[in-house]
Amino acid sequence: MLLNTKCDTGPLVYPAAFVYIYSALYYLTAHGSNVRLAQYIYTGVYLLQMCLALRLYAKSRKVPPYLLVLSAFTSYRIHSIYVLRLFNDPVAVLLLYASLNLFMDSRWIWGSIFYSLAVGVKMNILLFAPALLLFYLANLGVLLTIVHLFICGLIQVVIAYPFLRTHPVEYLTGSFDLGRIFEHKWTVNYRFLSRELFEQREFHLALLGLHLLLLLAFAKYTWTFFKSYVNLREVQQFILPQLMVKNREEKELAKAAKKKSHHKSKSRKSQLQEQAQELEPDNMEEDEEELTAEQKSFLKSFEKGLQNATGQKRPPAPVKESKRKHYDISFEHCTQLALLPFFLCNFIGVVCARSLHYQFYVWYFHSLPYLVWSTPYSVGVRFLILGGIEYSFNTFPSTNFSSIVLHVSHLVLLVGVARHIRHIIKLNALVKQKRHLEQQQQMEREKEQEKQKQIYLTYDDPKITKKLQ
């Protein structure tokens, strides 16, 4: 039954996890008749996706919060894809963002499992694979990278076993068909091309070559970012235990000081009470004599005169107890070094895609704010880029103008991210150069001090001094 699965547009062309997920939806919605329940489920998928994406943004602290609010409430096409169309792209992207969150939390096995499940829903998740491979190598080394690649492959074999057992070639060529030809009428990015040129194999190979060249061009920068991320995580593992010990010591000292001050105030209070009892006369009247108006006026004028004479307008405020010190260093900013290469790798795949359909907007929508804010452009230009992409995907059917706007927006964004990355690499090189010069100067100073010390010891030795005389 699974091998003969078809839909209105032809045979099934998605991996095995898609079949299981949509089979469950089929039975949950009374054989597909309860569409509203399916929309409620996809609303939950949308909200969970936003939570996972916002968690990554909160960790990186790269994008201002107001932009995330605007992007969540203003994209008509995204809401349509999630709640009205019920495509499998949101499910695949949801599993992908779950894996990214797990990778940022250093939960490598679960991250690999969720990434492989995402690929099992739709193969566009493979656009993240080049960055993930370098991320594995930078963090885990070659041996553990092979282990996690084996885990990803094992998940694919397990979920596809019913298909691979009977028709392995048909399953692999159908679910992971890299040469699939898309229909020209649904394209968003190449409407301005003729149908003949759009379907030519040479055009597809040219886009594939451009994709590989861009990946190679950014590979070195990606590796530098990932290595810097690993170094900061190692510093975090070294410093955080020391901070915890220091904070524990401060807490114990604060408790001891508070206990000591409480004991002193209590003993002081008891001493004052004893002195008051000793000084209290036996014949003291219960009611104190009230001051007259003249006496009150005299006291006020006398107090005012003292303040004018001393320059002190009000009594000095009591000295507050110093708060307990708390030592903390936030390392979450280093998440930026990991997220940018992932999002950029996927964006390069989108830019070089042979065709983008409307539901493909989900592939990179949640990473667009991050990419736009990783450019040196002004805020106005950044919003223009986001607006141009949103306009292109909201234009139905697509036009020559909307496709050109989409390509221009993609190109401007890609150039801006490249400029931002090169600027960071240059700053990193300057910092390393400065550090190297400081180390050389320090070594020269130490050598000079050693020479001075030897000269001093030479003149301080009486035998050498006598020979010199």
Side-chain angles (χ1 to χ4, degrees), residues 196-263:
E196 292 74 17
L197 179 58
F198 177 79
E199 294 179 354
Q200 278 187 3
R201 183 175 179 83
E202 292 77 11
F203 174 65
H204 301 164
L205 292 175
L207 289 176
L208 178 60
L210 178 62
H211 188 185
L212 295 176
L213 285 176
L214 287 174
L215 289 177
L216 290 174
F218 286 98
K220 183 179 179 181
Y221 301 141
T222 299
W223 180 256
T224 303
F225 271 57
F226 284 158
K227 290 300 293 182
S228 300
Y229 171 81
V230 173
N231 293 335
L232 286 174
R233 287 302 187 189
E234 290 176 353
V235 172
Q236 179 186 9
Q237 293 177 0
F238 177 75
I239 290 180
L240 283 184
Q242 300 181 19
L243 293 179
M244 292 175 63
V245 172
K246 190 67 178 177
N247 288 329
R248 196 180 301 116
E249 293 176 355
E250 290 290 335
K251 188 176 181 181
E252 293 175 356
L253 289 174
K255 283 184 178 180
K258 186 177 180 181
K259 187 176 181 181
K260 187 176 180 181
S261 62
H262 179 70
H263 178 70

Side-chain angles (χ1 to χ4, degrees), residues 162-176:
F163 304 92
L164 296 174
R165 184 171 56 88
T166 55
H167 297 80
V169 177
E170 290 80 359
Y171 171 77
L172 293 175
T173 56
S175 299
F176 301 98

Side-chain angles (χ1 to χ4, degrees), residues 11-71:
L12 179 67
V13 291
Y14 298 122
F18 167 86
V19 178
Y20 301 134
I21 292 172
Y22 276 79
S23 297
L25 285 174
Y26 178 74
Y27 290 110
L28 285 173
T29 57
H31 295 215
S33 60
N34 193 349
V35 179
R36 176 163 294 185
L37 177 59
Q39 290 178 318
Y40 287 152
I41 294 173
Y42 263 76
T43 301
V45 171
Y46 174 72
L47 295 175
L48 185 56
Q49 169 65 37
M50 289 300 298
C51 290
L52 293 174
L54 292 178
R55 186 174 183 268
L56 293 177
Y57 278 94
K59 278 178 170 292
S60 65
R61 303 179 186 179
K62 180 72 174 178
V63 179
Y66 69 84
L67 179 64
L68 301 177
V69 175
L70 289 175
S71 63

